[in-house]
């Protein structure tokens, strides 16, 4: 069966490409979805994307990923820095988790320097803009998918 990766995006990332383009770039989430699906197709795996502004919906999506997925990429947005619930849900997973951020959270405000996700992530990609999503898929494919 074909390998499947899920990419989760947290609060406000639905606004990508519409506001704060200087910080988060000009790509919309739809543009990112199209390029991720293109990359996955070329590399013979499947990818699905889910975005929510609601913490509990992200927890539900993480729990659902226990069945039928081979890896998870998460940009938890602002919840990265606050959500014990997302941390706990990710900790239960047996598949590799890549933490992703569009910006370099370590050269921004102090409150972004702490991530509750990093401790359970297999790896972290941050600061490379929308390209980071493809980098995460590439890492997932090269390192974890058989
Ligand atoms: O750099 C990232 O990807 C972040 O996860 C983005 C979050 C931020 O809270 C994290 O510290 C770092 C914020 C996402 C906000 O996205 C917007 C997109 C367009 C316009 C306004 C916000």
């Amino acid at each position: 069966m074909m390998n499947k990766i899920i990419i989760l995006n947290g609060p406000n990332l639905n606004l990508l490409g519409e506001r704060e383009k200087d910080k988060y770039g000009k790509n919309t989430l739809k543009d990112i979805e199209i390029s991720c699906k293109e990359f996955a197709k070329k590399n013979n795996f499947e990818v699905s994307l889910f975005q929510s502004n609601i913490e509990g919906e992200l927890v539900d999506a993480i729990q659902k990923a226990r069945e039928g997925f081979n890896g998870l990429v998460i940009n938890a947005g602002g919840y990265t820095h606050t959500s014990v619930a997302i941390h706990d849900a990710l900790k239960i997973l047996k598949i590799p988790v890549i933490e992703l951020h569009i910006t370099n959270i370590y050269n921004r405000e102090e409150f972004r320097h702490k991530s509750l996700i990093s401790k359970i992530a297999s790896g972290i990609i941050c600061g490379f803009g929308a390209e980071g999503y493809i980098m995460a898929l590439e890492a997932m494919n090269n390192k974890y998918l058989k």
Side-chain angles (χ1 to χ4, degrees):
M1 223 165 49
M2 217 179 231
N3 284 306
K4 278 173 80 173
I5 301 299
I6 183 150
I7 301 179
L8 300 181
N9 282 292
N12 299 310
L13 289 158
N14 54 313
L15 299 178
L16 281 179
E18 289 175 28
R19 318 242 171 90
E20 298 200 52
K21 292 185 203 171
D22 48 330
K23 201 173 286 154
Y24 296 112
K26 61 178 172 43
N27 291 289
T28 65
L29 204 50
K30 190 71 206 167
D31 296 333
I32 291 172
E33 178 168 7
I34 291 167
S35 47
C36 285
K37 291 208 178 236
E38 209 174 271
F39 180 86
K41 197 173 176 188
K42 263 191 214 149
N43 289 280
N44 223 24
F45 65 92
E46 283 176 32
V47 67
S48 52
L49 286 86
F50 175 74
Q51 187 276 333
S52 178
N53 293 325
I54 301 167
E55 187 176 18
E57 286 189 358
L58 293 164
V59 170
D60 283 345
I62 294 165
Q63 288 188 9
K64 280 193 197 126
R66 284 178 300 163
E67 298 286 315
F69 286 96
N70 307 91
L72 183 145
V73 176
I74 183 163
N75 183 350
Y79 288 143
T80 305
H81 318 293
T82 62
S83 179
V84 174
I86 289 175
H87 163 276
D88 290 349
L90 289 170
K91 202 171 176 185
I92 293 163
L93 291 180
K94 294 194 174 80
I95 55 176
V97 171
I98 296 181
E99 176 181 356
L100 170 71
H101 301 286
I102 294 166
T103 59
N104 178 354
I105 56 174
Y106 299 101
N107 67 13
R108 299 187 62 190
E109 303 95 320
E110 188 97 28
F111 65 83
R112 296 184 203 276
H113 297 178
K114 183 175 163 209
S115 163
L116 300 186
I117 294 174
S118 300
K119 194 149 173 64
I120 53 83
S122 301
I124 305 159
I125 293 169
C126 78
F128 297 102
E131 180 67 22
Y133 286 84
I134 300 298
M135 293 167 86
L137 289 180
E138 194 161 29
M140 202 59 99
N141 187 41
N142 292 345
K143 206 165 156 57
Y144 301 111
L145 301 186
K146 289 170 221 121

